[in-house]
Amino acid sequence: DHFNTVLYSGSDLGQAITGVGFQPDWHWNKGRTVNGEDHYLFDSSRGAGKALFSTSSGAESDYGTGTDSPNRSFDADGFTVGATGGTNVNGRTYVAWNWKANGGTTSSNTDGTITSTVQASTESGFSIVTYTGTGSAGTIGHGLGAVPKWIIIKGRDNAKNWIVYHAENTSAPETEYLHINLTTATQDSAIFFNDTAPTSSVISLGTGNNVNDSGNTYVAYVFAEIEGYSKFGTYTGNGNANGTYIHLGFRALWIMIKR
């Protein structure tokens, strides 16, 4: 009902990809056939044709929703890819991971000191948050009504690294951060999350330009933990072929691991 993976083959022709089971609100697309293909990330809050790339610090790319857009639209049972580009090359195969938030319907949120625009699913513990930075430490509302365990923030206007909060990263995760687009390990800094843990209503932001540059726009993907659906944790490797066992309480459909 809230997450699904689909596989498809490119055609160099615009095509509707179905079988998701709902209208995606966050759509993460990756080519599987050749090396060097980017991860394309789209969401219904920013608009169907606006891409971010998890492998890059680059600004948001606006392809529009014309015939050549890599993501022309979000549809009732999937999405439509355009005739050319990195999501529909003839002879190549693709995977798309799809999350449902609130069907593209957003609302203004004033829970924080910085007004945010939110579409949230409290049932699945997922929200998409957009906001404009102020340059001063503050807070943004996330709409989940539960404390987030995983937060990914990306600046949209110009080149900015992805900033990640993970509640189980260290004993004081609010003081540290990770990247998606870089291979760096956990780093300590107060400028991103202001050394303040998120609450059931807001996320704290420091003054770092990757999360809160004055006048710049940002998107945050925010997850709370839902029993039987999502789990966020850590483990220690053992170097054995019969590796460390991580108990989730359910069969995982999507796993992300960062060392």
Side-chain angles (χ1 to χ4, degrees):
D1 292 336
H2 301 280
F3 172 83
N4 204 3
T5 304
V6 293
L7 306 177
Y8 68 95
S9 297
S11 68
D12 280 343
L13 301 171
Q15 58 173 328
I17 308 303
T18 60
V20 173
F22 52 83
Q23 176 185 297
D25 291 312
W26 190 27
H27 165 63
W28 186 324
N29 195 307
K30 178 70 175 79
R32 305 165 59 204
T33 310
V34 300
N35 292 330
E37 291 191 293
D38 285 319
H39 294 245
Y40 285 75
L41 280 68
F42 306 91
D43 66 70
S44 61
S45 290
R46 293 182 296 119
K50 296 180 179 180
L52 292 168
F53 304 92
S54 64
T55 47
S56 170
S57 65
E60 177 181 274
S61 295
D62 188 353
Y63 294 97
T65 55
T67 56
D68 291 337
S69 174
N71 190 58
R72 296 185 62 187
S73 63
F74 294 109
D75 308 327
D77 187 33
F79 54 92
T80 297
V81 292
T84 59
T87 62
N88 193 29
V89 176
N90 189 43
R92 296 184 184 179
T93 59
Y94 297 86
V95 58
W97 302 294
N98 304 275
W99 288 261
K100 181 180 178 180
N102 194 36
T105 300
T106 64
S107 59
S108 179
N109 185 298
T110 57
D111 289 342
T113 60
I114 301 168
T115 299
S116 58
T117 299
V118 175
Q119 63 159 314
S121 168
T122 57
E123 185 176 6
S124 65
F126 171 57
S127 69
I128 302 170
V129 181
T130 58
Y131 64 96
T132 300
T134 64
S136 300
T139 57
I140 54 170
H142 54 70
L144 290 178
V147 177
K149 289 293 189 80
W150 190 37
I151 303 165
I152 311 172
I153 300 177
K154 180 67 179 76
R156 302 169 56 189
D157 299 292
N158 39 53
K160 290 180 170 66
N161 288 322
W162 293 79
I163 302 297
V164 179
Y165 166 89
H166 191 292
E168 306 299 328
N169 186 20
T170 68
S171 60
E174 65 274 10
T175 70
E176 293 156 331
Y177 67 96
L178 289 159
H179 292 300
I180 286 182
N181 60 300
L182 301 175
T183 61
T184 49
T186 299
Q187 299 179 69
D188 186 293
S189 178
I191 66 172
F192 297 129
F193 300 108
N194 205 32
D195 282 358
T196 305
T199 72
S200 60
S201 59
V202 299
I203 298 163
S204 290
L205 302 175
T207 58
N209 63 15
N210 284 344
V211 299
N212 193 18
D213 205 7
S214 180
N216 282 189
T217 58
Y218 298 84
V219 62
Y221 304 108
V222 186
F223 291 82
E225 195 168 271
I226 301 295
E227 186 176 1
Y229 173 75
S230 59
K231 193 77 173 176
F232 305 90
T234 60
Y235 67 94
T236 300
N238 62 19
N240 297 328
N242 184 16
T244 303
Y245 172 69
I246 301 97
H247 179 71
L248 302 178
F250 57 92
R251 182 183 179 186
L253 296 178
W254 189 77
I255 303 169
M256 175 180 269
I257 299 173
K258 175 69 175 83
R259 185 176 176 181

